[in-house]
Amino acid sequence: MTERIYDYDSHAMTFSAHVLSCTPKEDAFDIVLDRSAFFPGGGGQDADTGTLDGTPLLEVFEADEIIHHISPQPFEPGHMVEGQLDQETRLGNMQQHSGEHVLCAVLHNRYGVDNVGFHMGSKEMTLDVNGVFGAEELYAAEEEANRVVRADLPFTISYPTAAELKTLEYRSKKELTGTVRIVTIEETDRCACCAPHVMHTGEIGLIKILRFERYKGGTRVYFLCGLKALAMMRMYQEQVYGIDTLLSAVPEDTLAAVEKALAQTNALKEQRVAAERRLIQVLADQAPTGSDPLVLFEDFSDEIMARTYVNLLTARRDGPVCLFIPRNEEKTVFRYILAIRDGSVRPLCKEMNTALSGRGGGSDAMAQGTANATENEIRAFFTK
Ligand SMILES: [Zn+2]
């Protein structure tokens, strides 16, 4: 078994060790050391990254209690090597994972629920517990978890004997066999876990629940700890103050201000629809009757309005109605609706698609599509 330096010193970011073996593996070398500070991954936490004598490791993993360091360079057995961990990643991971232990312990001690799923994502962590909770209960747990952080309680790692384990109460996601590694937070928690942890709860800094939802009969809690939680709060803050500047609001009233702005927008949309309905009726009444194609360029708030307008026009004239609605700012692409009361717009549609790089089609009574042409080009097609 490789001696795990992080069991007694999780802050050892550099270490020296003897090379026990160096085995060629595919295009690289599998290095086994007598001791290592590299965490090989597990319990929801990624393996550490870093270097051996300055050479970046490709992978670190564990098999049969031995930590394997995959290196592009060989190292001679018997020689000493210097290991260097990617410090920021490791400290960040410990802040997140140790914070999860504290939050789980509080939820367990307070409400008797168990952690049935844990995921450390790059943006946030999720914790699944087998109990249904509302905001009040979760925020109470969050406050208590942060009290545990402030108390700066020590984390310790131990490997109890089988006999000791029988009498020991500890949290575990599954039935364990063989050597069990116990992570203890003084006065707070005992949990089976293989990962490196902070030395004291104070290092976690902050435990912040971001949101929660019902999940598989229980609750999924999204949360972050330490510097990542701080960065997330800063992002929220920038968003809220950004909205407040736009809406002349204060943070306490941001939601109400957004609701008010949305209500105003919806009211304006309704007014526009009502005004358009009156307008298309007036325009349709004034449109020329007859059998020449009636070519119109208009913009409408929605598709239904455009088709209603076309229907009003076709009802009162013999010739085809050709409506063009701009599709881009430059007005070089138009959506078209061609319609006729009696007869067919199919031949016109085909001819227009060819002349105006268009595509689309439909029935005898109505065809729809797009034309890649300017208003002038479209008008020229109809006056030729
Ligand atoms: Zn753990």
Side-chain angles (χ1 to χ4, degrees), residues 43 97 100-101 118 191-195 197:
H97 193 158
E100 183 256 354
H101 276 231
F118 170 50
C191 180
C193 178
C194 59
H197 283 274

Side-chain angles (χ1 to χ4, degrees), residues 184-220:
T184 304
I185 308 171
E186 197 177 276
E187 298 168 20
T188 309
D189 189 41
R190 260 195 301 264
C191 180
C193 178
C194 59
H197 283 274
V198 297
M199 307 288 272
H200 290 89
T201 54
E203 288 173 47
I204 296 163
L206 173 67
I207 297 175
K208 186 75 200 84
I209 292 175
L210 305 172
R211 61 200 155 94
F212 61 94
E213 63 196 16
R214 289 285 297 272
Y215 182 76
K216 289 186 176 173
T219 308
R220 171 163 282 186

Side-chain angles (χ1 to χ4, degrees), residues 157-173:
I157 308 298
S158 60
Y159 293 91
T161 62
E164 283 168 336
L165 267 183
K166 273 196 189 118
T167 61
L168 206 62
E169 235 186 83
Y170 62 95
R171 297 189 296 113
S172 173
K173 275 201 212 70

